[in-house]
Amino acid sequence: MSTTTTLQKAGGPTGEPGSAQPSDGLKAGLKNRHLSMIAIGGVIGAGLFVGSGGGIAKAGPAILISYLLVGAMVVFVMRMLGEMAAASPNSGSFSAYADRALGRWAGFSIGWLYWFFWVVVLAVEATAGAKILEGWIPAVPQWAWALIVMVVLTATNLGSVASYGEFEFWFAGIKVVAIGAFVIVGLLAVFGVLPGSDNPGAGFAHLTDAGGFMPGGWGSVLTGVLMVVFSFMGSEIVTLAAGESEDPRRAVTKATNSVIWRIGVFYLGSIFVVLTLLPWNDKSIVEKGSYVAALDSIGIAHAGQIMNVIVLTAVLSCLNSGLYTASRMAFSLGERGDAPKVFAKTSKNGVPTVAILGSVVFGFIAVYFNYTSPDTVFNFLLNSSGAIALFVWLVICLTQLRMRGILMREAPEKVTVKMWLFPYLTWATAAMITFVLGYMVYDEDNRETVLYSLLVAVVVIAIGVVLNMRRKNVAAEAVAAAVTDAV
């Protein structure tokens, strides 16, 4: 597919930027407020609320450096992706760009790997949400809650893209308000000016009063990187959703430019508050979770239940976006001939029904294995999808290195967002991602995850290469037959 065709498909019927009707069957049902909240909420996963306590216990206050390093990596990756997406909004996003820049095998491989990642996430998040709901209403078994959650969100996505956007707007809104309130209230308590606080407020003392700022050395910072990196997955969703928005180019540009403050406030800001309210080695941070422990120290009543509501919202948000993302990637693959063509068909509402149902069926199967074979089949699914986020980011780097030249030759006026210090910062980011993958192999706790993920990636890439070679052979035979007939 040529760049011109790609650009036209991203716009309206005439291919003009910002046209409200995509020409690929999808409808531009996402409003600017939907895209804004999807962009903001996309970086706030349940992992931030649930997994941050373990990172703090490993690295101490230096976990802030871990978050800073990963946050910078995500900012750079989003800048690269924003450059390509602003020039060519596409429902396949980085998969479509890899197809154009690196070859069809690359678009095929990263597209299917990304789809696989999200359908496994569906099972993980459905189970996490079911556990919370079962705790509130134990009369309904956990498996039934998981089924209910999956069915409701499937129905939401099948309705229209606007219904997905509306649900995500409110889910993300709750997360944003909750973290914003946490940061403000927490900072007031840190400096001892919060009325009625049970925490006397130690200012910045807790950052160094329990063994120093980096009690475990630089090794613990790297371990912290491995523990927090996966909580950032999802920031790229806005570039897939932009293709169904009223003004794709404006939405992508705005999301790309705002990613720095989003990561700064929601990740660094909230973790900073936790570390200044409590010593990093306080046992409650691991036992209760970092946010619940911080709220308890202030004296907020029912902190655990409040956080359960927020975590459930984050889980539902992740499920909602995961199903949307998986289905749009399947749709794009079908449109490009890298998946069954039926995946590219849309309903009268502009929704890729078969792509949604195909994605959710695999999600249901994964949920089933989570209950019947948690230590075997599901454990393999979980581990084999664990490092795919890093593979995606690495492919985005490599794609952008090629796409910059293609875009500047064929559509320079559309390059409205540019990667900083190109190509040096792109190469540096790719090197950092490669280093993290290498360190995962070195780290015993993460070795299985990266090796299983590599195994799946090699299999998918091999399939992509074989299919590409077969297509070329068929095309060559067709040309030869045409020449023979002409003679």
Side-chain angles (χ1 to χ4, degrees):
M1 184 184 295
S2 71
T3 302
T4 303
T5 306
T6 303
L7 291 171
Q8 287 177 342
K9 293 182 80 61
T14 61
E16 289 302 314
S19 179
Q21 178 60 54
S23 62
D24 53 12
L26 299 176
K27 285 191 175 179
L30 293 177
K31 301 181 183 300
N32 287 332
R33 66 181 178 88
H34 293 152
L35 262 292
S36 295
M37 200 56 76
I38 289 169
I40 294 171
V43 297
I44 310 172
L48 174 62
F49 301 106
V50 178
S52 55
I56 291 171
K58 280 283 187 181
I63 193 69
L64 287 170
I65 299 178
S66 303
Y67 275 105
L68 183 63
L69 289 172
V70 178
M73 189 164 68
V74 172
V75 167
F76 298 150
V77 169
M78 279 299 295
R79 188 75 185 182
M80 295 176 223
L81 186 53
E83 175 180 300
M84 297 182 287
S88 175
N90 191 292
S91 60
S93 188
F94 48 83
S95 173
Y97 309 142
D99 192 318
R100 170 64 174 154
L102 304 178
R104 191 165 180 177
W105 66 270
F108 171 94
S109 302
I110 205 62
W112 277 113
L113 286 172
Y114 193 67
W115 177 87
F116 174 61
F117 171 85
W118 279 111
V119 293
V120 173
V121 166
L122 292 180
V124 175
E125 300 296 342
T127 305
K131 286 180 180 178
I132 295 174
L133 290 165
E134 186 190 30
W136 293 342
I137 309 177
V140 180
Q142 192 180 118
W143 67 265
W145 278 122
L147 180 64
I148 291 169
V149 166
M150 290 280 279
V151 168
V152 169
L153 292 179
T154 300
T156 299
N157 276 265
L158 285 172
S160 68
V161 69
S163 61
Y164 155 72
E166 201 62 33
F167 266 72
E168 193 56 26
F169 177 82
W170 291 106
F171 286 152
I174 291 172
K175 292 188 293 185
V176 169
V177 170
I179 293 190
F182 175 80
V183 170
I184 293 170
V185 171
L187 286 175
L188 291 175
V190 166
F191 295 108
V193 294
L194 181 68
S197 174
D198 294 344
N199 192 314
F204 301 141
H206 288 321
L207 293 176
T208 56
D209 64 4
F213 181 76
M214 197 180 292
W218 280 104
S220 66
V221 172
L222 293 176
T223 301
V225 165
L226 301 187
M227 297 183 74
V228 307
V229 67
F230 303 108
S231 64
F232 282 85
M233 192 64 173
S235 54
E236 69 290 330
I237 290 175
V238 68
T239 64
L240 281 83
E244 294 175 81
S245 70
E246 297 169 336
D247 189 347
R249 188 160 291 119
R250 178 178 176 273
V252 168
T253 303
K254 186 176 179 182
T256 302
N257 290 336
S258 65
V259 71
I260 297 175
W261 72 259
R262 286 186 277 132
I263 289 175
V265 172
F266 298 129
Y267 279 86
L268 291 171
S270 61
I271 298 300
F272 177 81
V273 167
V274 172
L275 290 166
T276 47
L277 281 174
L278 293 166
W280 69 271
N281 55 0
D282 191 304
K283 292 182 179 179
S284 66
I285 291 178
V286 174
E287 292 171 357
K288 298 179 180 180
S290 54
Y291 292 87
V292 173
L295 291 173
D296 275 344
S297 77
I298 297 173
I300 303 293
H302 310 295
Q305 287 303 318
I306 293 172
M307 193 51 60
N308 271 340
V309 172
I310 296 169
V311 170
L312 178 63
T313 302
V315 164
L316 295 177
S317 172
C318 190
L319 265 171
N320 194 39
S321 288
L323 182 52
Y324 171 84
T325 305
S327 65
R328 284 346 185 245
M329 186 58 74
F331 168 83
S332 178
L333 288 166
E335 195 181 36
R336 286 178 275 145
D338 289 331
K341 284 290 185 183
V342 70
F343 279 7
K345 291 185 177 181
T346 56
S347 69
K348 62 181 180 180
N349 293 328
V351 171
T353 305
V354 177
I356 292 173
L357 293 176
S359 300
V360 83
V361 163
F362 194 96
F364 275 123
I365 292 171
V367 170
Y368 170 78
F369 282 129
N370 196 8
Y371 287 107
T372 61
S373 311
D375 298 324
T376 52
V377 179
F378 188 74
N379 185 55
F380 172 78
L381 290 175
L382 199 60
N383 282 319
S384 60
S385 65
I388 286 174
L390 291 167
F391 297 164
V392 168
W393 294 344
L394 184 58
V395 168
I396 289 172
C397 294
L398 300 178
T399 300
Q400 192 260 338
L401 285 167
R402 294 287 302 276
M403 277 296 286
R404 167 66 75 87
I406 294 172
L407 290 171
M408 292 305 292
R409 284 196 306 271
E410 300 186 12
E413 73 283 357
K414 297 186 184 297
V415 185
T416 55
V417 176
K418 287 188 177 182
M419 176 59 182
W420 307 296
L421 299 177
F422 178 84
Y424 309 108
L425 199 49
T426 301
W427 278 116
T429 306
M432 182 178 179
I433 296 169
T434 304
F435 173 80
V436 171
L437 286 167
Y439 193 74
M440 286 180 70
V441 176
Y442 170 78
D443 185 77
E444 191 173 337
D445 293 336
N446 289 279
R447 187 176 301 142
E448 190 176 71
T449 295
V450 73
L451 292 179
Y452 278 164
S453 296
L454 279 170
L455 173 63
V456 171
V458 168
V459 171
V460 173
I461 290 171
I463 293 172
V465 169
V466 169
L467 288 176
N468 198 36
M469 290 175 62
R470 184 175 296 175
R471 289 190 194 98
K472 288 181 178 179
N473 289 337
V474 169
E477 289 171 1
V479 170
V483 171
T484 301
D485 291 342
V487 172

